[in-house]
Amino acid sequence: MFLNRDHKWVYLFQEGNATMKALLGGKGANVSEMTAAGLPVPPGFTITTEACNAYLAYDLQFPEGMWTQSKESLKDIEKKTKKKFGDPKNPLLVSVRSGASISMPGMMDTVLNLGLNDETVEGLGKKMKDRRFALDAYRRFISMFGHIVMGVDTEKFDRVLARYKSQTVGGGDTDLTPELLEKIIVAYKRIIFADQHGQEFPQDPYEQLRMAISAVFDSWNGRRAIDYRRVNHIPSDLGTAVNVQAMVFGNLGWDSGTGVAFTRNPSTGEKIVFGEYLLNAQGEDVVAGIRTPKPIRNLADELPEVYVQLIDSFRKLETHYLDMQDIEFTVEENRLWLLQTRTGKRSGAAAVRIAVEMVQEGLITQNEAVTRVNAQQLDQLLHPMVDPKADAEVITTGLPASPGASSGLVALDPDEAVELAEAGHPVILVRHETSPDDFHGMAVAEAILTARGGMTSHAAVVARGMGTPCVVGAEEINIDLREGFFRSGMHSVRRGDWVTIDGSTGRVLVGQVETIQPKLGEYYDTLMTWVDDIRTLKVRANADTGHDASIARDFGAEGIGLCRTEHMFFGEERLALMREMILANDLASRQAALDKLLPIQKKDFYELFEAMDGLPLTIRLLDPPLHEFLPNFDELQAEIANLKLKVQKADSFPQIDQLLKDIVEKEELLHRVEQLRESNPMLGHRGCRLGMVYPEVTVMQTKAIMEAAAEAVIAGIWVYPEIMIPLVSVDLELASQRKLVEETAIQVRGSYGLKFKFTVGTMIELPRAALTADKIAEHADFFSFGTNDLTQTTFGLSRDDSGRFLSHYITNKVMQNDPFQVLDQDGVGQLVKIGVERGRQTKSDLKIGICGEHGGEPKSIAFCHGLGLDYVSCSPYRVPIARLSAAQAVLAERDLKAKAAGKPIPAPEPVAKKPKKSAKA
């Protein structure tokens, strides 16, 4: 940490550039870049992220030299604007804004109109020849400063403002007269005095600036910023920069205004300027949704010269940054000012379309397009949509701010949303408008609905970034927080009622409405063609039914990496047969039950072979403990006790006789359950251990697989069965089970007169198996790492129980990630690495993959690529994400190698003008 007073903590906008994002934050780096490009940017300076980290590390004190440098930099703004900070006749006002290196829109604090006090407000009014404007700016500043810097509840200010607005003819903030504004200012100061226990609103502009800078630094560790970083996996040690910039005013009259715009539509990706503005307003009016703004195209009629200049600036910025830009602007008396630009947050559909069209436009390469779409955005494309055939009753309609459809229970405040979510309920958050303080509720919501706000409001921007369906500006709804309901027309919806939000159309629907999966479209097809051309890692799916396998194949799966045969035994009829097998007292009885199960399993396997025609199918033999197929011990005891009570109350011999038979049957079952009970069943009699003790189970499953495969071959289906032995820890376990599988498989195959290929491998899911992989590989054709169980056994954690404390570990930075979601590369990952190396020492061509849920997680996939695995396997709906992540891992590896060699990053294939279309959806 720098503590030298001569260390440079502050940079003027003309001193920075876009490469300094880590130091100046995204906002500071980008306004510096725009300044250098000659675009109309109000002058200012940036206090670095280093200063923030020093402030937070050393008792919330400015690092030595920072405040002096800030005051010196303020003189540069004074010189450029020909105004004086704190001067009662010609006052300079500034904005103080946050700006982290990774965009966190709305999650930290901003203060506008700083420098106003009882004297400068009069000077500003005379200078601008508009006292009403000056008073309006002052009341805005007091409420914003009071809330953000001094911690006063914003609703206290809102109630005062609403009371005085109700006294005007129009009822809007622009209808407030100077006399009413003076009364509001007095009321605001009283609120602060009462709330702060006698502390006055500060009149010294330099004290205002010092307090505002501290507040922005403090907001880095505010709840909403912490929640946002947690949700978006942003490191907590980056800190935020602070941008101090000369104010320009959009509330000087009807030739002034403010707005937010995107160079392309952030919901659809269409190449059309998308945004909103308000005349005679300041920036927070648009984002906060206090007034409903107008579409940006209307500016062409109201301020045509400004509109032309604005569109030209948008074109220059997108061409310069080679990406869709999110731009804040202000118009002051027909003069355009650009306040900031940043890479725009976008929906998944927009991310894919923008990436593809920018390749077609010759702006970026195919490889760059692949890196532009992240896993979360691609996942959004798979969001469900309301079934057009559903009989849906519309409550109201608003603006379709973020696509997708979700149903849930209504929550009217963010804390209530968190409580419902923690109780396991899907939540729809309904608000007048959202603010950054609502983020913790937004983060857990399935969808968001607001009564006010436009397409660039806080709710819209945050929801699109998270991929959460959202409808904003549903002005017909009236929310009554005290009584706990909202009303629209004839509909009254109470908190806890079910509603469905259709973020693609803007509809709010009664109850739970059926949804369907969307069509992915030509832009997705094009992007995934490029993805598949780049990646080297194959992607398979975990699927247990023909239906799931078909879905996986449609998403581009190149085989099934894990079919869990135990899932095929669930269902009333199958479960009864499975219990019959388990409860059998001798081999003959057990074999009879297995003979009944065989045709059922065979049918399931045939459907899988049919769905995966031409692709490999890895089938894991029975894995879980047998007790899982039997009733719960405690529940059985309760049932027996209840039956005995019924016997006492029965009034006929036939009834008593039947009850006694039921009791005997239940007690036999209870006895068997008690025999099979284990203290730690996940480390007990399961996996290959079942096949070792009951070889007839292995034989039955192998017969079912091979008979299904043979009949599929006869039907013209290309099959490649891979039979996987689970939970091996000793090489002789695999040797024994392999011998049994091979003998059975060859016998079945011969009985059909066929010679199709099959292989036998094992799942590496125990530390000992990874450490002795060289010995185990002698008996294996392939390895598949079961990273779910390998994580459990390495950490000594139970997936079912660790939820009680893992969140605490992550919050307190004991662990960075939940190891069941993101592969623990330092521990579990090292066991995988050892297993790969030792397995291939024995067999250099050993095929290796992973089949835990880590197979669909981007960081884990990159790790697998680095180890040289052949494939990853994940749930069907994660297959597109795995394909994308595998391609991105290749590109990241190329970049690292180029940097290590001191060479420029290789520019890949020339930009394609006409994309080819993939064969699969």
Side-chain angles (χ1 to χ4, degrees), residues 209-430:
L209 181 60
R210 185 193 65 77
M211 292 173 69
I213 292 170
S214 293
V216 173
F217 282 160
D218 290 337
S219 70
W220 175 255
N221 282 335
R223 176 176 179 176
R224 61 182 186 267
I226 290 172
D227 286 344
Y228 189 87
R229 291 198 297 272
R230 174 179 51 78
V231 170
N232 293 281
H233 308 292
I234 297 172
S236 60
D237 59 356
L238 300 179
T240 181
V242 177
N243 298 283
V244 180
Q245 190 173 27
M247 281 295 302
V248 286
F249 301 101
N251 57 333
L252 271 173
W254 299 105
D255 59 356
S256 302
T258 186
V260 177
F262 296 81
T263 54
R264 302 187 188 219
N265 188 308
S267 288
T268 66
E270 184 182 4
K271 190 180 179 182
I272 184 171
V273 173
F274 177 94
E276 295 168 326
Y277 72 98
L278 283 169
L279 294 184
N280 200 14
Q282 285 200 308
E284 76 271 18
D285 295 339
V286 176
V287 177
I290 294 167
R291 288 165 55 191
T292 301
K294 300 178 181 180
I296 198 76
R297 63 180 178 272
N298 289 20
L299 192 62
D301 298 324
E302 295 192 302
L303 298 175
E305 292 180 6
V306 170
Y307 181 77
V308 170
Q309 188 183 357
L310 190 63
I311 297 301
D312 183 59
S313 297
F314 292 170
R315 180 186 56 78
K316 289 178 180 176
L317 286 168
E318 186 172 277
T319 302
H320 179 79
Y321 286 101
L322 298 177
D323 204 350
M324 185 260 279
Q325 294 296 292
D326 170 5
I327 300 155
E328 292 181 21
F329 65 92
T330 288
V331 181
E332 182 181 278
E333 295 180 322
N334 277 308
R335 184 176 181 184
L336 175 67
W337 293 96
L338 301 180
L339 305 183
Q340 78 155 332
T341 189
R342 60 189 172 199
T343 300
K345 299 288 183 183
R346 62 202 76 181
S347 70
V352 171
R353 179 171 179 173
I354 290 169
V356 170
E357 288 193 339
M358 282 193 163
V359 172
Q360 295 169 355
E361 293 162 21
L363 295 173
I364 61 175
T365 65
Q366 290 178 9
N367 285 8
E368 287 171 319
V370 169
T371 63
R372 290 284 177 90
V373 180
N374 63 45
Q376 184 182 20
Q377 290 169 329
L378 198 61
D379 191 32
Q380 288 176 33
L381 283 184
L382 311 177
H383 277 187
M385 56 186 286
V386 170
D387 186 345
K389 298 177 183 177
D391 184 15
E393 184 179 354
V394 178
I395 297 171
T396 189
T397 302
L399 300 173
S402 183
S406 287
S407 300
L409 306 182
V410 168
L412 299 178
D413 71 66
D415 293 333
E416 183 181 294
V418 171
E419 288 176 12
L420 283 169
E422 288 178 346
H425 301 295
V427 181
I428 305 296
L429 180 62
V430 181

Side-chain angles (χ1 to χ4, degrees), residues 551-625:
I551 292 172
R553 185 162 191 157
D554 287 343
F555 281 133
E558 296 159 299
I560 298 301
L562 175 63
C563 167
R564 293 153 290 206
T565 56
E566 62 272 10
H567 287 192
M568 298 172 172
F569 293 121
F570 295 127
E572 191 172 340
E573 179 189 355
R574 297 176 180 212
L575 191 56
L577 291 173
M578 190 66 181
R579 285 178 178 171
E580 183 182 334
M581 187 271 291
I582 295 169
L583 294 170
N585 293 318
D586 52 54
L587 177 60
S589 301
R590 188 158 44 251
Q591 189 61 59
L594 288 170
D595 290 343
K596 296 175 187 176
L597 284 169
L598 190 149
I600 295 173
Q601 285 237 288
K602 175 180 166 182
K603 178 177 180 292
D604 291 338
F605 293 140
Y606 185 91
E607 289 176 1
L608 284 164
F609 285 125
E610 189 175 40
M612 301 311 291
D613 184 7
L615 296 174
L617 172 58
T618 304
I619 301 170
R620 183 180 72 186
L621 300 186
L622 193 63
D623 184 43

Side-chain angles (χ1 to χ4, degrees), residues 427-713:
V427 181
I428 305 296
L429 180 62
V430 181
R431 301 287 279 161
H432 290 292
E433 71 265 347
T434 64
S435 74
D437 291 330
D438 293 330
F439 181 75
H440 59 292
M442 300 173 77
V444 300
E446 298 294 325
I448 297 163
L449 168 65
T450 69
R452 298 196 287 262
M455 296 290 278
T456 56
S457 65
H458 176 267
V461 171
V462 172
R464 277 196 296 269
M466 295 193 300
T468 302
C470 180
V471 173
V472 301
E475 295 180 343
E476 290 181 1
I477 70 172
N478 180 29
I479 302 171
D480 189 327
L481 291 172
R482 182 174 298 177
E483 296 299 323
F485 69 91
F486 74 85
R487 179 177 288 117
S488 176
M490 299 298 291
H491 293 95
S492 182
V493 181
R494 303 200 68 82
R495 56 165 49 103
D497 287 352
W498 281 92
V499 296
T500 298
I501 300 296
D502 185 351
S504 301
T505 65
R507 294 181 301 163
V508 182
L509 308 169
V510 173
Q512 294 175 268
V513 180
E514 289 291 320
T515 59
I516 58 172
Q517 290 301 319
K519 294 180 181 179
L520 296 173
E522 61 177 309
Y523 298 108
Y524 169 86
D525 289 343
T526 301
L527 180 77
M528 297 310 287
T529 300
W530 299 338
V531 161
D532 293 338
D533 287 344
I534 295 167
R535 66 184 171 89
T536 56
L537 198 62
K538 297 288 186 182
V539 176
R540 298 189 185 185
N542 304 336
D544 313 316
T545 66
H547 173 73
D548 288 350
S550 296
I551 292 172
R553 185 162 191 157
D554 287 343
F555 281 133
E558 296 159 299
I560 298 301
L562 175 63
C563 167
R564 293 153 290 206
T565 56
E566 62 272 10
H567 287 192
M568 298 172 172
F569 293 121
F570 295 127
E572 191 172 340
E573 179 189 355
R574 297 176 180 212
L575 191 56
L577 291 173
M578 190 66 181
R579 285 178 178 171
E580 183 182 334
M581 187 271 291
I582 295 169
L583 294 170
N585 293 318
D586 52 54
L587 177 60
S589 301
R590 188 158 44 251
Q591 189 61 59
L594 288 170
D595 290 343
K596 296 175 187 176
L597 284 169
L598 190 149
I600 295 173
Q601 285 237 288
K602 175 180 166 182
K603 178 177 180 292
D604 291 338
F605 293 140
Y606 185 91
E607 289 176 1
L608 284 164
F609 285 125
E610 189 175 40
M612 301 311 291
D613 184 7
L615 296 174
L617 172 58
T618 304
I619 301 170
R620 183 180 72 186
L621 300 186
L622 193 63
D623 184 43
L626 291 180
H627 82 274
E628 289 195 5
F629 297 100
L630 298 177
N632 180 275
F633 182 82
D634 294 331
E635 290 176 1
L636 263 179
Q637 282 188 315
E639 286 180 29
I640 292 168
N642 189 46
L643 286 170
K644 289 179 178 178
L645 285 173
K646 287 183 178 179
V647 169
Q648 295 174 14
K649 297 178 181 179
D651 54 8
S652 69
F653 286 113
Q655 187 181 7
I656 292 172
D657 188 52
Q658 183 59 50
L659 286 168
L660 290 174
K661 287 180 181 178
D662 290 344
I663 289 170
V664 170
E665 184 181 323
K666 293 284 185 183
E667 285 179 337
E668 287 178 358
L669 186 57
L670 181 70
H671 177 66
R672 189 63 172 140
V673 171
E674 189 170 24
Q675 285 182 321
L676 292 170
R677 285 179 86 188
E678 296 176 298
S679 299
N680 193 340
M682 294 310 293
L683 299 179
H685 194 193
R686 55 171 286 218
C688 68
R689 300 161 192 170
L690 285 173
M692 296 290 287
V693 176
Y694 302 117
E696 55 272 20
V697 175
T698 300
V699 171
M700 182 277 288
Q701 289 200 288
T702 304
K703 279 185 177 180
I705 293 167
M706 296 303 288
E707 287 181 12
E711 291 175 16
V713 170

Side-chain angles (χ1 to χ4, degrees), residues 568-869:
M568 298 172 172
F569 293 121
F570 295 127
E572 191 172 340
E573 179 189 355
R574 297 176 180 212
L575 191 56
L577 291 173
M578 190 66 181
R579 285 178 178 171
E580 183 182 334
M581 187 271 291
I582 295 169
L583 294 170
N585 293 318
D586 52 54
L587 177 60
S589 301
R590 188 158 44 251
Q591 189 61 59
L594 288 170
D595 290 343
K596 296 175 187 176
L597 284 169
L598 190 149
I600 295 173
Q601 285 237 288
K602 175 180 166 182
K603 178 177 180 292
D604 291 338
F605 293 140
Y606 185 91
E607 289 176 1
L608 284 164
F609 285 125
E610 189 175 40
M612 301 311 291
D613 184 7
L615 296 174
L617 172 58
T618 304
I619 301 170
R620 183 180 72 186
L621 300 186
L622 193 63
D623 184 43
L626 291 180
H627 82 274
E628 289 195 5
F629 297 100
L630 298 177
N632 180 275
F633 182 82
D634 294 331
E635 290 176 1
L636 263 179
Q637 282 188 315
E639 286 180 29
I640 292 168
N642 189 46
L643 286 170
K644 289 179 178 178
L645 285 173
K646 287 183 178 179
V647 169
Q648 295 174 14
K649 297 178 181 179
D651 54 8
S652 69
F653 286 113
Q655 187 181 7
I656 292 172
D657 188 52
Q658 183 59 50
L659 286 168
L660 290 174
K661 287 180 181 178
D662 290 344
I663 289 170
V664 170
E665 184 181 323
K666 293 284 185 183
E667 285 179 337
E668 287 178 358
L669 186 57
L670 181 70
H671 177 66
R672 189 63 172 140
V673 171
E674 189 170 24
Q675 285 182 321
L676 292 170
R677 285 179 86 188
E678 296 176 298
S679 299
N680 193 340
M682 294 310 293
L683 299 179
H685 194 193
R686 55 171 286 218
C688 68
R689 300 161 192 170
L690 285 173
M692 296 290 287
V693 176
Y694 302 117
E696 55 272 20
V697 175
T698 300
V699 171
M700 182 277 288
Q701 289 200 288
T702 304
K703 279 185 177 180
I705 293 167
M706 296 303 288
E707 287 181 12
E711 291 175 16
V713 170
I714 292 169
I717 298 167
W718 190 96
V719 302
Y720 186 10
E722 299 176 338
I723 300 173
M724 184 158 66
I725 313 298
L727 211 75
V728 165
S729 59
V730 181
D731 60 312
L732 293 181
E733 288 176 318
L734 180 58
S736 172
Q737 287 289 287
R738 179 186 181 107
K739 182 174 182 292
L740 191 59
V741 167
E742 283 187 324
E743 289 173 351
T744 305
I746 291 169
Q747 185 272 323
V748 171
R749 190 177 61 181
S751 70
Y752 282 88
L754 299 171
K755 289 189 177 181
F756 58 86
K757 185 178 178 182
F758 69 92
T759 57
V760 182
T762 186
M763 182 177 276
I764 304 294
E765 50 193 324
L766 297 173
R768 192 182 191 281
L771 294 170
T772 61
D774 51 340
K775 294 181 179 180
I776 291 174
E778 293 174 5
H779 312 287
D781 299 320
F782 65 88
F783 281 175
S784 180
F785 283 90
T787 51
N788 294 342
D789 272 356
L790 189 58
T791 297
Q792 286 197 106
T793 51
T794 301
F795 275 94
L797 285 175
S798 163
R799 270 180 297 176
D800 298 328
D801 300 319
S802 59
R804 299 174 187 174
F805 58 86
L806 268 184
S807 59
H808 177 81
Y809 272 44
I810 293 165
T811 300
N812 291 280
K813 301 182 176 62
V814 177
M815 293 180 177
Q816 279 196 327
N817 300 292
D818 182 335
F820 294 110
Q821 295 180 9
V822 181
L823 185 69
D824 163 47
Q825 296 182 18
D826 294 335
V828 178
Q830 292 310 299
L831 285 172
V832 175
K833 184 173 184 287
I834 289 168
V836 171
E837 291 171 351
R838 293 184 183 178
R840 284 181 174 161
Q841 282 173 7
T842 300
K843 289 183 180 176
S844 59
D845 61 345
L846 185 68
K847 181 160 64 177
I848 303 178
I850 73 165
C851 59
E853 277 309 303
H854 297 110
E857 195 282 317
K859 291 179 184 176
S860 309
I861 291 168
F863 181 75
C864 293
H865 169 80
L867 292 183
L869 267 61

